[in-house]
């Protein structure tokens, strides 16, 4: 498995500002169907980085996606790999 760096853009913060940051060591996988109303990807997030990515925007494979939610982190003892949670991002069809 080869990980990539993913840039999370314009993530809303509680004080009304937005931040952009890059998280190294992510895995990206397609999920669902390409004919779905909103195709989705899963972004597996590394254990070493616990930043919140909900609400951020990402670009992947030439398309823009919006992160709609993140799973709870799994127990480290039950996840021998470098990833213990993932984010679901929906493709943006039009802006």
């Amino acid at each position: 498995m080869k990980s990539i760096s993913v840039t999370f853009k314009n993530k809303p913060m509680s004080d009304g500002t937005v931040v952009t940051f890059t998280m190294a060591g992510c895995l990206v996988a397609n999920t669902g169907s390409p004919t779905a109303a909103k195709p989705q990807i899963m972004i597996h997030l590394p254990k070493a980085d616990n930043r919140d990515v909900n609400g951020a925007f990402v670009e992947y494979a030439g398309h823009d996606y919006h992160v709609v939610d993140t799973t709870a982190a799994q127990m480290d003892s039950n996840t021998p790999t470098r990833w213990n949670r993932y984010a679901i991002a929906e493709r943006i069809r039009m802006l």
Side-chain angles (χ1 to χ4, degrees):
M1 292 187 283
K2 183 179 178 186
S3 63
I4 62 170
S5 294
V6 174
T7 300
F8 294 90
K9 302 178 212 169
N10 299 328
K11 192 250 181 271
M13 302 301 286
S14 58
D15 63 0
T17 61
V18 294
V19 296
T20 296
F21 57 90
T22 300
M23 188 179 290
C26 297
L27 291 178
V28 180
N30 290 319
T31 183
S33 165
T35 59
K38 291 185 178 179
Q40 297 179 337
I41 58 172
M42 290 188 305
I43 306 168
H44 294 265
L45 306 169
K47 292 178 189 177
D49 195 330
N50 62 359
R51 287 180 282 187
D52 179 16
V53 300
N54 290 338
F57 295 87
V58 298
E59 183 180 335
Y60 178 72
H63 300 286
D64 293 315
Y65 292 85
H66 179 242
V67 178
V68 294
D69 213 348
T70 308
T71 63
Q74 301 298 308
M75 295 181 343
D76 284 344
S77 59
N78 286 340
T79 52
T81 63
R82 296 183 301 176
W83 308 273
N84 66 347
R85 62 189 176 117
Y86 62 90
I88 298 291
E90 291 181 339
R91 186 169 162 196
I92 301 170
R93 293 275 188 186
M94 292 186 228
L95 291 175

